[in-house]
Amino acid sequence: MNTPNLRTERFIIRAFDEADLEIFAQYRSQPNVAKYQSWSEFTYSDAMALFQKIDYENFGVVGQWYQLAIADSDSNLLLGDLAVHFIDEEQVEVGFTVAPENQQKHVAKEAVLALLNYLFNRLKKHRVVATTDTKNTASIRLLESVGFRREAHFRQNIFFKGSWADEYQYAMLRSEQNFT
């Protein structure tokens, strides 16, 4: 399966290309973006290494992570990204990161809704999950606003950036989605 090329009212969700990597590294290197992410620093070399290991021609392989670009539909300029992990044949994990200048503009919400629509209605996946730090209120608001249900509160389950942290796990079943 090839990587999807999804369109929303304002955005294109697509595979990354090399021209995206400078902007990708720039916003991911900012401390306020990295605060709740698995990285602390993110360089152009990190972006290139990630880009080179993603097999976009075989999108959807179980066990693999894929990064999808969220780009402006007019300029094709990178605004943020979606992470997609195919856990097994029926379950997918998703994540999102948006450049600070594009936050609070519903970029992630519009992109996540398009991705969920694709995963549930085109790929017929049964369940989509997302995990977030319990202090990441922006992520929590977004997940709940698109219909995710909080399933778990993991207490001090991850040693993260020097201390133990709590996480929430959210999920949505195909039967629970209310968009097409």
Side-chain angles (χ1 to χ4, degrees), residues 3 52 121:
T3 306
Q52 290 174 339
N121 297 316

Side-chain angles (χ1 to χ4, degrees), residues 108-119:
K109 183 175 183 175
E110 192 171 320
V112 168
L113 283 169
L115 179 61
L116 289 170
N117 188 34
Y118 174 78
L119 293 171

Side-chain angles (χ1 to χ4, degrees), residues 1-3 15-16 51 54-59 66-68:
M1 167 184 1
N2 288 332
T3 306
F16 268 80
F51 172 70
I54 298 173
D55 181 9
Y56 284 117
E57 292 299 315
N58 293 301
F59 185 81
Y66 300 87
Q67 293 300 132
L68 297 176

Side-chain angles (χ1 to χ4, degrees), residues 24 27-28 33-34 36-39 65-68 70 79-84 93-99 103 107-113 115-116 128-133 136-146 148 170:
F24 183 59
Y27 69 76
R28 281 186 161 222
V33 172
Y36 298 114
Q37 301 285 7
S38 60
W39 65 89
W65 280 95
Y66 300 87
Q67 293 300 132
L68 297 176
I70 305 169
L79 307 173
D81 62 274
L82 297 169
V84 185
E93 180 178 2
V94 298
F96 42 86
T97 308
V98 176
Q103 292 176 3
V107 172
K109 183 175 183 175
E110 192 171 320
V112 168
L113 283 169
L115 179 61
L116 289 170
V128 177
V129 300
T131 303
T132 188
D133 189 291
N136 189 344
T137 56
S139 179
I140 292 164
R141 273 194 314 270
L142 182 137
L143 291 168
E144 291 176 357
S145 75
V146 300
F148 276 89
Y170 284 86

